[in-house]
Amino acid sequence: MSKLNLNKTWNYAAATESTNHILLKEKYDLFINGEFVKSNSKKYFDTINPATDEVIAKISEANKKDIDLAVKSAKIAFRSWSKLKAKERGKYIFRIARMIQERAKEFAVIESMDGGKPIRESRDVDIPLAANHFFYYAGWADKLEYAFPNKIPKPLGVAGQIIPWNFPLLMAAWKIAPAIACGNTVVLKPAETTSLTALKLAEIIQESGLPKGVVNIVTGAGNTGAEIVNHPDIDKIAFTGSTNVGKLIQKSISGTKKKSTLELGGKGANIIFEDAAIDQAVEGIVNAIFFNQGHVCCAGSRLFVQESVANIVIEKLKDRMSSLIVGNPLDKNTDIGAINSKEQLATINKYIKIGQEEGGEIYQSKCSISKKGNWCPPTLFLNVSQSHTIVQEEIFGPVLAIQTFRTIDEVIEKANNTPFGLSAGVWTEKGSKIFKLTQELNAGVVWANTYNKFDPTSPFGGFKESGFGREGGLHGLKAYLKFE
Ligand code: NAI
Ligand code: MG
């Protein structure tokens, strides 16, 4: 096998995206009833660039009173928004989609500055997909009765939406677009480390002329989220985040009439058969676990390689890992950016330590890493089995646990032996194997000969501790409707 040696024989010149076209305020307030308003708490917290440790802006911390105001404004707005001609609703959503496209570059740069993801990903994945979600659901707004024939679809009311930090704008789009297309109104809270693009979206929403109160965006941490969950006038909770908080939310709303969808953690199995196209599969492994620093709920964090090709796959994988560029998220060459927060880096390092203590054999690619910021080199573990902590628990970082298998039944059993059920990948040239695995793997999404592909028309969601409910496609509409 000829080695890639990319880092030794090729020197990359930095190709850093400029930031001089970015307009950021020093302080961001809450977006309630179509206006930016100061929080009753009078408190602000810092949002930090995880690649430089610099404070980018101050973000308002919403308290109970603020949430009450936001929910009230959404409740009042619901009366007219839900009765507005569906075609008119669609027009506003199309306008928001177009405005995101027009400002795509600005959004991409801010997403990378605030969250640490490589500009290539925010530019080519996060922002275009966010716009696509608005386009897609704008199209459905006046066609709901065709989506659900023989039924009369009705909106639910006020949706409380709580999103994580790994795909900040994209998750806001996943939540807001279907909700308002169906005639609901929204109170959305971004994650505390990545509020900026949601607040920029609030600016677009304001400019778009969307009626006041249809979308309210409030910022803060877990306590603010809990105030949304517990507010009596919330009709539906849509949450994406950790399984622990998902369980807490389910407890708090049990016994109420609130509907819910929960999109929680994962521990995706990526399965490589001996008849797979090996080089493509190696790219697929890299994409599955190192995309977005592994901060992906559907990451392929458990790799299963058929024994007969294990040596060659692992050798090629290590070689490919050594060519990955870890560093400045704003550099267009960068493959792996900064870890989103100090807390998340501590979590990842804790798991790397446990992996070694439990006897796993670690391999990390060598890369020079800046002293400032939060970094983790691409990491893999060999010599691990089903009972190892790093095989069972979600790490949410660039850490891959590798196991081997001999037969198809063995790998199905191993892949399903997890509390989660969100995603899986299968690499084989044989269609019959793909069909068998897509049927027998207990996962909401199974990718064949690819990984981490997303599309607004395709439903996404999990089984077991990965949560319930689907986002995307018709399924995503259904979660915001009731039928008469
Ligand atoms: P988290 O679940 O605490 O945060 C997600 C969102 O929930 C944030 O907006 C947060 O402010 C909010 N939140 C926190 N506590 C809440 C509460 N009691 N009520 C309502 N909302 C609340 O996730 P965290 O702590 O940032 O990450 C911890 C772990 O969770 C990660 O290491 C990862 O394993 C997993 N995670 C999974 C995600 C996924 O997409 N499946 C996304 C984020 C984290
Ligand atoms: Mg930040």
Side-chain angles (χ1 to χ4, degrees):
M1 191 189 101
S2 59
K3 295 246 179 207
L4 294 172
N5 274 338
L6 287 178
N7 279 342
K8 293 193 190 103
T9 45
W10 293 74
N11 283 322
Y12 282 102
T16 317
E17 182 64 63
S18 74
T19 53
N20 54 14
H21 58 100
I22 302 304
L23 274 184
L24 283 173
K25 293 190 265 188
E26 234 168 81
K27 272 186 184 175
Y28 279 88
D29 292 313
L30 309 172
F31 184 65
I32 298 177
N33 204 29
E35 310 288 342
F36 285 92
V37 295
K38 296 228 175 305
S39 162
N40 285 289
S41 78
K42 300 194 168 59
K43 286 187 198 154
Y44 291 88
F45 59 94
D46 292 339
T47 195
I48 291 168
N49 181 334
T52 62
D53 296 336
E54 280 159 11
V55 177
I56 314 175
K58 294 207 173 292
I59 310 287
S60 187
E61 185 184 314
N63 66 12
K64 193 182 170 87
K65 209 167 158 194
D66 300 316
I67 299 306
D68 192 47
L69 286 172
V71 174
K72 278 209 173 87
S73 100
K75 198 176 171 182
I76 293 168
F78 179 72
R79 290 184 208 141
S80 43
W81 181 249
S82 58
K83 293 198 185 69
L84 190 67
K85 264 197 165 152
K87 208 167 93 188
E88 296 304 313
R89 281 205 310 262
K91 278 188 197 167
Y92 286 109
I93 306 170
F94 274 122
R95 195 176 301 154
I96 293 169
R98 284 195 303 270
M99 292 172 82
I100 294 174
Q101 272 188 330
E102 281 159 14
R103 289 169 63 176
K105 192 164 178 186
E106 181 189 358
F107 269 93
V109 173
I110 296 174
E111 200 73 307
S112 285
M113 283 169 68
D114 200 18
K117 62 174 67 203
I119 186 75
R120 238 180 36 218
E121 292 177 10
S122 44
R123 182 195 64 194
D124 298 347
V125 182
D126 292 67
I127 311 304
L129 268 179
N132 278 355
H133 268 269
F134 280 102
F135 276 122
Y136 175 72
Y137 282 114
W140 274 122
D142 61 348
K143 301 173 196 72
L144 296 176
E145 57 271 41
Y146 302 102
F148 306 102
N150 303 322
K151 289 179 178 160
I152 303 172
K154 290 263 154 70
L156 299 173
V158 180
Q161 306 182 317
I162 298 166
I163 57 172
W165 39 264
N166 51 345
F167 293 93
L169 183 72
L170 183 57
M171 288 302 110
W174 278 31
K175 298 273 182 287
I176 295 172
I180 64 176
C182 293
N184 302 279
T185 56
V186 162
V187 176
L188 174 124
K189 189 192 85 62
E192 53 273 34
T193 56
T194 53
S195 310
L196 282 178
T197 45
L199 292 162
K200 280 279 171 188
L201 179 64
E203 289 175 5
I204 281 186
I205 287 170
Q206 195 178 37
E207 256 179 73
S208 76
L210 186 78
K212 286 175 192 289
V214 173
V215 172
N216 302 273
I217 294 182
V218 292
T219 44
N223 288 339
T224 308
E227 295 296 350
I228 299 177
V229 171
N230 295 325
H231 196 288
D233 289 338
I234 290 282
D235 300 292
K236 182 208 161 110
I237 288 290
F239 172 76
T240 300
S242 63
T243 298
N244 281 343
V245 174
K247 285 179 181 172
L248 271 177
I249 290 178
Q250 219 182 349
K251 270 188 206 148
S252 344
I253 63 173
S254 69
T256 72
K257 283 190 177 151
K258 291 173 192 170
K259 291 198 165 23
S260 63
T261 42
L262 304 178
E263 204 265 272
L264 311 175
K267 196 75 191 174
N270 200 10
I271 301 167
I272 318 292
F273 285 98
E274 60 190 0
D275 62 5
I278 298 293
D279 287 345
Q280 281 89 328
V282 169
E283 283 310 303
I285 297 166
V286 167
N287 175 36
I289 185 63
F290 301 130
F291 174 60
N292 198 24
Q293 297 74 247
H295 302 327
V296 184
C297 48
C298 52
S301 50
R302 290 182 299 151
L303 178 66
F304 294 95
V305 191
Q306 200 154 19
E307 214 171 77
S308 50
V309 291
N311 285 343
I312 182 80
V313 168
I314 291 162
E315 199 183 331
K316 279 178 183 261
L317 177 61
K318 285 180 176 172
D319 191 31
R320 181 68 178 91
M321 277 164 69
S322 69
S323 76
L324 294 174
I325 298 175
V326 182
N328 183 1
L330 291 177
D331 187 334
K332 289 165 210 155
N333 296 311
T334 294
D335 296 302
I336 300 183
I339 299 300
N340 185 269
S341 64
K342 295 253 177 285
E343 290 74 29
Q344 189 57 27
L345 182 60
T347 304
I348 297 168
N349 286 336
K350 177 192 82 182
Y351 278 112
I352 290 179
K353 194 157 165 257
I354 293 175
Q356 288 169 293
E357 282 166 2
E358 290 182 359
E361 180 193 327
I362 189 173
Y363 172 82
Q364 287 185 313
S365 69
K366 288 177 196 59
C367 40
S368 57
I369 285 170
S370 150
K371 285 211 174 61
K372 281 191 186 149
N374 320 321
W375 310 98
C376 180
T379 305
L380 63 77
F381 274 96
L382 300 166
N383 281 341
V384 290
S385 59
Q386 291 294 106
S387 59
H388 279 78
T389 308
I390 58 164
V391 172
Q392 286 297 322
E393 296 182 13
E394 182 178 51
I395 302 174
F396 228 57
V399 183
L400 178 66
I402 304 183
Q403 293 174 266
T404 59
F405 68 93
R406 287 184 182 169
T407 68
I408 191 163
D409 291 329
E410 177 193 351
V411 78
I412 290 171
E413 199 172 315
K414 281 182 167 169
N416 285 337
N417 180 2
T418 162
F420 299 108
L422 191 57
S423 61
V426 184
W427 297 80
T428 169
E429 295 290 278
K430 218 167 159 55
S432 57
K433 268 189 210 160
I434 293 174
F435 284 125
K436 184 171 168 70
L437 269 93
T438 45
Q439 279 179 16
E440 295 189 21
L441 289 175
N442 201 356
V445 188
V446 182
W447 285 288
N449 294 326
T450 186
Y451 209 97
N452 275 337
K453 285 273 182 294
F454 304 97
D455 191 280
T457 62
S458 169
F460 183 89
F463 295 105
K464 301 194 285 187
E465 295 212 355
S466 293
F468 50 79
R470 295 289 178 266
E471 295 181 290
L474 287 183
H475 297 66
L477 285 173
K478 214 170 169 180
Y480 286 97
L481 291 168
K482 56 189 174 193
F483 298 98
E484 285 176 355

